[in-house]
């Protein structure tokens, strides 16, 4: 059994304030006996487009800050996502989820594959205006668990989660900043569906409330088991949640309904 923690935040356009809040939660998670702590998408900074572009150059120094948090508190840190500069393309960045081991070593980087675009009552969203899409499906071992990495809008693309399942992942983490309209309509349904259809754990920490760009976010961070049950949840308040992941539950689900063994790979191959 592995104890993990996830954090629901309302991130602002104040980098130092966000980082201070995050370090306090890393310390709290470590004191609670968690082996890893997972933050929402863009936990370290949310501001206007102009403000966000100025933050891109802080990528390396911020990585170092998270590395020190992980090593100082001896806990694996998944700090949500950072804006990683795209080499040779000034003004463009990847939406990148790094992973730091308990020693503070960067052991994985996942660059968001699917960039959010939507026309909603409050705003028209087009993440690709400044952001470059990644190109790799990424997994990493943490605390003896095979962990798959995904980010927010990726949730709507089940083929990514099927591809992660082929890599024998037991847990997928999904740092997010879901909008309120899409969150109310789809968030819980999609998080639970991805867990059920692939028979693995999902941990999906999100932004909540009005963030630093003035836009409302849905919250409702949750951990979901392979049978689709909600193991732990934050509604709309900020804070840290600690829960237990027991891989044995995956085998129990497969013993009940071994859907993976019933796939028609010859007709519907997984990329």
């Amino acid at each position: 059994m592995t104890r993990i923690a996830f954090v629901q935040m309302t991130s602002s356009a104040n980098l130092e304030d966000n980082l201070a809040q995050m370090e306090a939660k890393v310390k709290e998670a470590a004191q609670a006996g968690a082996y890893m702590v997972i933050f929402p998408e863009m936990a370290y900074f949310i501001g206007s487009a102009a403000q966000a572009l100025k933050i891109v150059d802080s990528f390396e120094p911020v990585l170092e800050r998270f590395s020190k948090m992980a090593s100082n508190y001896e806990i694996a840190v998944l700090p949500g996502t950072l804006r990683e500069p795209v080499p040779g393309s000034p003004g463009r960045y990847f939406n990148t989820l790094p992973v730091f081991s308990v020693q503070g070593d960067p052991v994985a980087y996942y660059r968001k594959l699917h960039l959010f675009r939507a026309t909603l009552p409050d705003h028209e969203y087009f993440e690709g205006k400044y952001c470059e899409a990644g190109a790799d499906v990424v997994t990493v071992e943490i605390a003896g668990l095979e962990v798959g990495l995904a980010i927010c809008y990726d949730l709507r693309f089940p083929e990514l989660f099927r591809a992660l399942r082929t890599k024998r992942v037991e847990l997928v983490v999904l740092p997010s900043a879901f909008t309120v309209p899409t969150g109310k309509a789809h968030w819980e349904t999609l998080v639970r569906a991805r867990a059920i259809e692939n028979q693995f754990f999902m941990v999906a920490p999100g932004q909540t409330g009005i963030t630093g760009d003035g836009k409302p976010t849905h919250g409702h961070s949750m951990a979901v088991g392979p049978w689709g049950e909600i193991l732990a949840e934050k509604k709309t308040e900020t804070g840290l949640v600690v829960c237990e992941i027991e891989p044995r539950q995956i085998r129990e689900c497969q013993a009940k309904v071994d859907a993976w063994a019933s796939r028609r790979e010859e007709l519907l191959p997984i990329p």
Side-chain angles (χ1 to χ4, degrees), residues 194-220:
R194 297 293 87 87
I196 292 166
E197 66 199 7
N198 295 293
Q199 296 179 316
F200 50 42
F201 292 90
M202 290 280 297
V203 175
Q207 295 282 347
T208 189
I210 307 295
T211 54
D213 59 359
K215 300 182 182 68
T217 51
H218 179 61
H220 294 80

Side-chain angles (χ1 to χ4, degrees), residues 71-93:
S71 60
N72 287 347
Y73 298 105
E74 298 183 316
I75 183 172
V77 175
L78 289 74
T81 67
L82 310 178
R83 297 166 183 86
E84 177 188 5
V86 176
S89 299
R92 295 193 66 75
Y93 56 84

Side-chain angles (χ1 to χ4, degrees), residues 97-158:
L97 167 58
V99 179
F100 296 92
S101 71
V102 296
Q103 293 81 25
D105 299 322
V107 291
Y109 294 91
Y110 168 67
R111 298 171 181 91
K112 190 176 184 181
L113 293 181
H114 303 97
L115 303 182
F116 185 46
R117 58 188 309 162
T119 302
L120 301 175
D122 64 322
H123 190 73
E124 184 173 346
Y125 297 85
F126 179 45
E127 190 175 8
K129 183 174 182 179
Y130 302 107
C131 189
E132 199 79 18
D136 297 305
V137 176
V138 179
T139 67
V140 61
E141 185 179 321
I142 308 174
L145 291 173
E146 195 65 30
V147 179
L149 307 180
I151 300 167
C152 200
Y153 191 51
D154 284 334
L155 184 62
R156 294 183 180 275
F157 300 88

Side-chain angles (χ1 to χ4, degrees), residues 9 12 31 45 60-61 93 116 144 146 152 162 164 191 199 245 269 271:
M9 287 183 65
S12 71
Q31 290 175 337
F45 186 90
E60 293 294 340
Y93 56 84
F116 185 46
E146 195 65 30
C152 200
R162 299 304 262 181
L164 288 169
V191 174
Q199 296 179 316
I245 296 295

